[in-house]
Amino acid sequence: MSKRYLIISGLFVLTLAITIGSVSSCKKLMPDMIDPNFGVCGPVDDLTNSQTILFSRGNDQFFAIRDAATGLGPYFVSNSCGGCHSSDNRGHPFTILTRFGQTDSTGNKFLGQGGPQLGSSNLPGYTPEQIPAGAASSKFIAPITAGLGFLEAVPDTEIINMARRNANNPDGVRGHPNYSAVPSNIPPLYGSVPRADGKYICRFGRKASTYSLVQQVAAAYNHDMGITSDYMPINPYNYLDQTAPPASSPEVNNDDFNSVVFYVTCLQTPNQRNADDPTVKRGNALFVQIGCETCHKQTLKTGYSPIAALSNQTISPFTDLLVHDMGQALDDGYTEGDAKTSEWRTTPLWGLGLARNVQGGNIYLMHDGRAHSIQEAIKLHGGEAAASSARFSKLSTQEQNAVITFLNSL
Amino acid sequence: MKRYYCFPVLIVLLTSLSAGAQIDSSLLNGMAKTDTTRKKLSMDAIYDRPFLKMGKLPVAIGGYMEANWQYVGTSGISIGNQFQFRRFSLFAASSISNRIKFLSEIEYEDDPAGDPDEATEGGKFEVEYAAIDIELHPLLNLRGGMIVNPIGSFNENHDGPKWEFTDRPIAMTQMLPDTWSNPGFGAYGKEYSGHWMYGYEFYLSGGFNDSIIDNTQGRTFLPATKASTTRFTKSASGEPLYTAKISLGNDRIGELGLSYMGGVYNTWQIEGATVDDKRRVNVFDADFNTILPWTHTNIVTEWAYIAIDIPPNYPQSYGNRQFGGFIDVVQPVISGRMLGWQHATLNLALRGEYVDWNVGNFAATGTPMYNDLWSVMPAVSFRPTPQTVLRLNYRIQNQRDITGSTIGATIGQTRGISFGVSTYF
C-alpha cells in the first residue's frame, strides 16, 4: 500500500470522525433557530415540560393535513389549520373565507342552507356549494394566530371599561363588545359572566362573535375543514343533504382537539422590531396623536389564566377587542353576533410588519384583503375611524412614512 | 488511472451486444463479471446487477442494502442523531430458457411512499419487481408481471450502491414516485450499432388513484398511490397507465432518454354510474448521463414535468403542474489500489436539486405560488470495491411554503449531514 493512499484514506476517515463529532456537539453546521422577532410560531416563555409536550403535539395537529379518510369535507376551505395560517401568521387570499346569511342580531337564517360559511372547495364528485339566493355575504382573510391566548386572558371587565371610555369620544368612537349566544357545551372562561339575556362578551373573529379559543378551534375544524368534534358534532354538509350519513364519532378526537387549543393559546406574541429607531418612535407618537390608538390600544393587561405564562401580563396587541362602525365602504351587509353589518372588531396590529412574509411579498389588509398597502388600509377606515383617517391624510409625507415605518415594526 | 465509470455497477450481465436485447443467460450461472464496455442503457439496469449462482440451483440471487447515520436540522430544530436502515433488497433471477428470463425483487424500505409521516410508522416489505421477459426478436421482447414503469432513468436505475448520496433525489422520490412498479405488460427492444445504442420501452399497467390529490401531504403527491394496499389487483380508474420511453446512447457522448407516463387516475365510475369526470395525469421526463472522456467526470441529470387535471373547486395547494429534477456530478479523484483493495475509488460529488410543487399563479391574486425547494449536496464517497460505497454527504436546502414563507418547522433552511453505506451482496 503506498504512503499516498494511506494518507488519503486516513484523511477520509479523520474527516468523517471529525464531522460526526462536530455535528453532534456543534450547531454551526445547522441552521439557526427562527428569530422570534420575525417568526411567530414559538411558544410563550416559561411553559412547563408537560405543557411543552402538549404544545408540540398541538403544533403537529395544527399543521396536520386532513384528507377524506381523516374527515376532510365534503365541503371545506383548507385541509389544515396551517393551510390558512401559514407560519401561524395571517392568511393569504387564496384561502379566503366566505361567510353568509346573517344581517342583524336576530341570527343567521341560512344555517339550514349551509351557513354561516361557504365550503369554497369540495371533494371530487360533490356539487360545489353555492351561496343561497338572497343571502348577504362577506369575505374574510384568516387573522394572525399568534398571541391569541393573551387576548383570551384579557378580562371582560377590561373590555367593558374600554367601551365605557369611548362614551364621550369627540371623534365619535363608540366601540362596544359583541355579545353573542354561546353554545352550552363551550366551557366558560374564567371571570366571564353572561348578560341578562344570556349572551357573553365575545372577542375572536372579524366580527368578534366567537367566545373562546375552544369555540374558535371547533368552528375552524367544522366550517373550514368539514371536520366534526365533540363541540360541533354535525358536519355542515348534513344540513344540506339530509340523506348523508352523519359522522358516527367526532372526526377529531378530544386529545388532538385539546392539543390544538393549547397550541394556539400558548403561541408567542409577535415582537416589535426596531422599537428604539427614532422614526419608529416618531411614528408611534403620531399614531397616538391622530387617534388611531383610541381603538388600536397599544397596551392591554391580561387577568388570571390557568396557564401561568399568560396570567397578569402586559401585552401590546393594538386592539380593544370591541366592534366599531367602520363606515359604509366596509359594510358588506353581513354580520355575526350582536354587531351591525358595518361594525368590525378592531384588528390587532401586532405582527402587521410580518404580513408580507406569508403573503408572497405582497400585502392584503382589511377583512377581505382589499387593501394592498398600509396607506390604503388607513384610507379605507370610515365611520368611527374617519376622523383619524382624515388626520393621517393631512400629515406630511415624512410623517405618514414614519407612521408606516412604525406599523411595519409591529 | 483506469477508465472509471461513475455509477459503478461494474458487474454486468449484458455483454452479448449482437446476440439480442436480453442478457446472456449464462451470466446468471456464476459470479458476475466486470463490465469493460459501456454498451448499456438505463433500461438495462434492472438486470445490470451482481448475481450469484450457487451449485446447481436454477436461480441466481443477489441483493443490496442501505444504512446510514444522519443529523438533520430545519429552522434550528433537529431530532438529533438518527441511525437508519433504509432498504434491504433481495433479487432472484433465472433463465427459464435461452430467451426467457425471470427476475424478481423483494425489498424492505423504511419509507416506501416517500412520505416522511409514513416512515415513522415503520417500513414495509414489498414485491418491487417480478416479471418475465420473452424475446421474440432483439427489437421485440415481451415483458409482463410486476414491472417497473420506465419513467425517467432513476426509477429504473435506483439501487443504492450505484449512487454517491444516501438520499435519493427529491424530485424523483416525492414528485415522481420512485421504485414505481405496477402489474402490467409491454414490450421493449434495443439495438447497438457501432458507438450508438437505441432502445424503446412501452408498457400498459395499473396506475395512480385519487390519493394523488387527496393525501396527508397537502399537495399533489403522486407517490401517495404507493400506500394503496389494493393497487396490485385493482386499478382505481379501470383504465391503463401508459408508459413509454425511448433512449438514444453513444458510448462517447452519453445517453439521452425521453419518457412519458399518463392515464386516468381517478375513480370516475362506481358500479357503472359516472361519479366524476375522467381526470388525467401526464408525466414528461428527460434524462441524460455521460462521462466526460478527459476527466472521467460522470454527469447524471433528470428533469420531469407533471400535468394533472385537478377538479374544479379544489384547493390550489394541490397544484396542477409540477416541475423538478436533479443533476449529479461525480468526479473520481483517486482510483486503483488502496488499503489493499485492488479497484478502490475515492470520489468527490455534488448534487443540485430543485422541485416546484405548484407551478403557476394563485387564481385569487395572480401572484406566484411558491411551495418549492432547492438543494445542493456536496459529497465524498469511497468505494473499496465497485459494489460497495461509503458516502459522506452534507445537504444545504431551502424550502418555501405556498405563500413564500420560510418560517416554520418544516420549511426554511435545512442542513443535514449523513454518512452511509450501501452494498450489493
Side-chain angles (χ1 to χ4, degrees):
Chain A
M1 184 185 315
S2 77
K3 190 176 178 182
R4 174 181 166 225
Y5 292 151
L6 186 61
I7 290 171
I8 290 173
S9 301
L11 283 174
F12 179 81
V13 173
L14 185 63
T15 302
L16 177 64
I18 290 172
T19 303
I20 293 175
S22 61
V23 167
S24 297
S25 58
C26 174
K27 306 298 182 189
K28 287 296 180 188
L29 288 171
M30 294 292 118
D32 292 333
M33 292 289 288
I34 296 168
D35 184 341
N37 288 327
F38 293 92
V40 292
C41 48
V44 296
D45 294 334
D46 302 326
L47 291 183
T48 65
N49 288 349
S50 60
Q51 288 173 331
T52 300
I53 292 169
L54 185 57
F55 182 87
S56 175
R57 177 175 179 163
N59 177 54
D60 291 344
Q61 289 301 315
F62 189 86
F63 289 98
I65 307 291
R66 293 279 181 158
D67 57 10
T70 52
L72 182 70
Y75 292 150
F76 59 100
V77 175
S78 184
N79 51 15
S80 72
C81 308
C84 289
H85 300 280
S86 173
S87 305
D88 301 300
N89 209 317
R90 66 191 65 229
H92 186 284
F94 93 100
T95 54
I96 202 163
L97 314 172
T98 303
R99 297 273 177 84
F100 64 86
Q102 184 172 344
T103 56
D104 56 36
S105 61
T106 60
N108 196 314
K109 307 294 191 298
F110 289 84
L111 294 179
Q113 296 177 63
Q117 187 166 297
L118 180 74
S120 53
S121 297
N122 55 269
L123 296 176
Y126 287 85
T127 305
E129 186 179 8
Q130 304 290 333
I131 298 174
S137 67
S138 184
K139 291 183 182 297
F140 298 173
I141 281 186
I144 189 170
T145 322
L148 292 181
F150 289 95
L151 296 182
E152 188 176 62
V154 174
D156 279 5
T157 50
E158 174 99 354
I159 297 173
I160 292 169
N161 286 337
M162 284 188 284
R164 285 179 179 155
R165 286 197 288 271
N166 286 333
N168 298 313
N169 183 282
D171 289 340
V173 175
R174 297 290 182 271
H176 63 89
N178 189 354
Y179 284 90
S180 292
V182 177
S184 60
N185 63 345
I186 299 296
L189 295 175
Y190 180 83
S192 170
V193 291
R195 204 168 56 177
D197 61 1
K199 293 182 176 179
Y200 287 84
I201 289 179
C202 296
R203 64 188 72 195
F204 295 114
R206 296 288 183 183
K207 294 284 187 179
S209 62
T210 304
Y211 174 69
S212 66
L213 293 176
V214 168
Q215 189 183 14
Q216 176 60 45
V217 171
Y221 267 117
N222 197 263
H223 298 153
D224 300 351
M225 292 186 271
I227 289 173
T228 58
S229 63
D230 263 354
Y231 295 102
M232 295 186 76
I234 299 174
N235 192 312
Y237 181 76
N238 289 105
Y239 293 114
L240 293 171
D241 183 356
Q242 300 291 330
T243 65
S248 57
S249 59
E251 291 162 330
V252 54
N253 67 52
N254 284 338
D255 287 342
D256 288 343
F257 181 92
N258 291 333
S259 73
V260 171
V261 173
F262 188 82
Y263 174 74
V264 296
T265 302
C266 292
L267 277 169
Q268 67 173 92
T269 61
N271 295 335
Q272 187 180 11
R273 298 159 304 286
N274 306 318
D276 295 329
D277 181 275
T279 306
V280 170
K281 285 184 170 180
R282 173 71 176 140
N284 193 351
L286 287 165
F287 180 82
V288 175
Q289 180 184 318
I290 62 177
C292 304
E293 208 266 346
T294 305
C295 302
H296 290 285
K297 293 288 186 195
Q298 186 153 346
T299 304
L300 295 181
K301 289 190 175 174
T302 66
Y304 169 79
S305 168
I307 300 166
L310 304 178
S311 279
N312 303 311
Q313 302 289 317
T314 300
I315 55 175
S316 301
F318 294 89
T319 179
D320 57 6
L321 299 173
L322 304 174
V323 291
H324 298 265
D325 180 355
M326 295 298 290
Q328 196 170 7
L330 294 175
D331 185 348
D332 290 347
Y334 168 80
T335 196
E336 296 170 356
D338 272 358
K340 296 181 177 64
T341 55
S342 63
E343 290 180 330
W344 298 91
R345 186 195 67 165
T346 307
T347 296
L349 298 181
W350 57 9
L352 177 60
L354 304 175
R356 290 181 193 278
N357 294 346
V358 291
Q359 295 186 331
N362 302 301
I363 193 166
Y364 304 95
L365 302 177
M366 308 306 286
H367 64 278
D368 56 1
R370 70 179 70 179
H372 297 168
S373 68
I374 293 176
Q375 292 95 324
E376 195 177 340
I378 293 171
K379 287 176 182 173
L380 283 167
H381 282 57
E384 296 176 28
S388 294
S389 179
R391 289 191 200 104
F392 176 80
S393 297
K394 290 176 183 172
L395 294 176
S396 69
T397 302
Q398 194 177 24
E399 290 172 324
Q400 287 188 4
N401 288 340
V403 173
I404 302 303
T405 301
F406 161 67
L407 291 170
N408 274 319
S409 76
L410 300 179
Chain B
M1 187 183 294
K2 292 181 180 179
R3 182 163 187 186
Y4 176 75
Y5 299 99
C6 188
F7 287 133
V9 179
L10 301 176
I11 312 296
V12 160
L13 302 171
L14 184 67
T15 56
S16 178
L17 304 180
S18 59
Q22 286 197 347
I23 60 167
D24 178 354
S25 60
S26 67
L27 293 174
L28 295 177
N29 296 327
M31 287 293 291
K33 299 170 183 175
T34 301
D35 185 16
T36 55
T37 75
R38 195 179 151 69
K39 299 286 189 183
K40 59 186 179 185
L41 297 167
S42 294
M43 62 189 290
D44 299 316
I46 199 77
Y47 275 99
D48 191 8
R49 296 157 153 173
F51 286 90
L52 180 65
K53 177 82 162 57
M54 290 178 290
K56 295 184 177 180
L57 278 175
V59 175
I61 64 169
Y64 72 88
M65 76 92 183
E66 287 184 86
N68 67 280
W69 159 87
Q70 72 174 27
Y71 190 102
V72 178
T74 298
S75 297
I77 300 169
S78 172
I79 55 173
N81 294 281
Q82 300 296 316
F83 296 86
Q84 302 172 323
F85 187 76
R86 294 199 176 185
R87 292 176 193 89
F88 174 76
S89 185
L90 275 175
F91 25 85
S94 67
S95 278
I96 298 170
S97 80
N98 190 37
R99 292 188 297 154
I100 301 179
K101 312 288 187 304
F102 179 82
L103 174 71
S104 65
E105 180 177 354
I106 297 172
E107 182 169 279
Y108 165 84
E109 194 165 14
D110 71 335
D111 181 15
D115 180 342
D117 294 333
E118 189 176 327
T120 62
E121 297 172 3
K124 290 179 181 174
F125 280 95
E126 285 191 337
V127 177
E128 183 175 301
Y129 185 90
I132 186 170
D133 287 20
I134 302 171
E135 181 183 312
L136 305 179
H137 181 274
L139 279 173
L140 183 59
N141 297 264
L142 305 181
R143 175 175 287 174
M146 180 74 76
I147 56 107
V148 170
N149 296 68
I151 182 69
S153 64
F154 186 85
N155 197 45
E156 291 187 298
N157 195 15
H158 56 259
D159 290 357
K162 296 183 178 182
W163 301 82
E164 316 306 309
F165 304 90
T166 54
D167 292 335
R168 291 178 168 181
I170 296 169
M172 274 59 244
T173 54
Q174 297 184 46
M175 193 180 80
L176 296 181
D178 68 329
T179 59
W180 173 237
S181 54
N182 286 288
F185 303 87
Y188 68 90
K190 56 196 173 191
E191 186 167 280
Y192 308 100
S193 174
H195 293 294
W196 291 93
M197 298 162 277
Y198 317 88
Y200 78 90
E201 295 175 87
F202 176 74
Y203 300 103
L204 306 178
S205 70
F208 296 100
N209 61 28
D210 300 81
S211 68
I212 68 175
I213 60 160
D214 181 25
N215 54 62
T216 55
Q217 290 287 312
R219 63 174 181 238
T220 299
F221 187 63
L222 269 56
T225 299
K226 294 180 70 177
S228 168
T229 56
T230 60
R231 71 186 184 92
F232 293 157
T233 55
K234 184 180 178 184
S235 172
S237 69
E239 303 213 358
L241 179 72
Y242 300 91
T243 311
K245 181 174 184 181
I246 55 171
S247 301
L248 174 64
N250 180 293
D251 57 13
R252 294 175 179 173
I253 299 172
E255 176 191 349
L256 172 69
L258 299 172
S259 49
Y260 163 81
M261 176 169 68
V264 176
Y265 67 84
N266 65 320
T267 303
W268 57 275
Q269 184 173 251
I270 296 176
E271 295 179 350
T274 299
V275 295
D276 197 4
D277 294 337
K278 291 183 181 179
R279 305 193 186 283
R280 289 186 62 86
V281 55
N282 294 304
V283 181
F284 305 90
D285 188 288
D287 63 83
F288 179 75
N289 68 83
T290 189
I291 297 174
L292 301 181
W294 301 284
T295 60
H296 305 293
T297 307
N298 189 267
I299 299 171
V300 179
T301 186
E302 180 179 343
W303 295 86
Y305 177 85
I306 302 173
I308 308 147
D309 179 9
I310 303 287
N313 255 38
Y314 212 62
Q316 270 202 289
S317 53
Y318 293 92
N320 61 4
R321 287 174 289 163
Q322 296 181 328
F323 174 75
F326 74 99
I327 181 169
D328 283 3
V329 179
V330 181
Q331 178 63 56
V333 290
I334 301 174
S335 182
R337 181 181 171 85
M338 275 186 273
L339 297 170
W341 285 294
Q342 297 297 320
H343 303 290
T345 311
L346 186 68
N347 299 306
L348 295 176
L350 185 69
R351 169 175 290 170
E353 302 184 75
Y354 175 76
V355 185
D356 186 346
W357 307 107
N358 288 68
V359 175
N361 295 331
F362 287 112
T365 61
T367 54
M369 293 185 287
Y370 295 96
N371 204 7
D372 54 4
L373 69 82
W374 61 263
S375 170
V376 174
M377 188 155 54
V380 179
S381 71
F382 175 65
R383 291 181 177 272
T385 74
Q387 300 100 324
T388 301
V389 60
L390 306 172
R391 48 204 181 189
L392 178 66
N393 307 161
Y394 180 65
R395 180 181 288 281
I396 302 165
Q397 178 178 306
N398 276 18
Q399 185 166 356
R400 298 182 289 188
D401 74 6
I402 193 169
T403 71
S405 176
T406 57
I407 296 171
T410 59
I411 52 177
Q413 293 187 354
T414 293
R415 303 288 182 267
I417 190 159
S418 62
F419 172 72
V421 59
S422 185
T423 185
Y424 282 113
F425 55 84

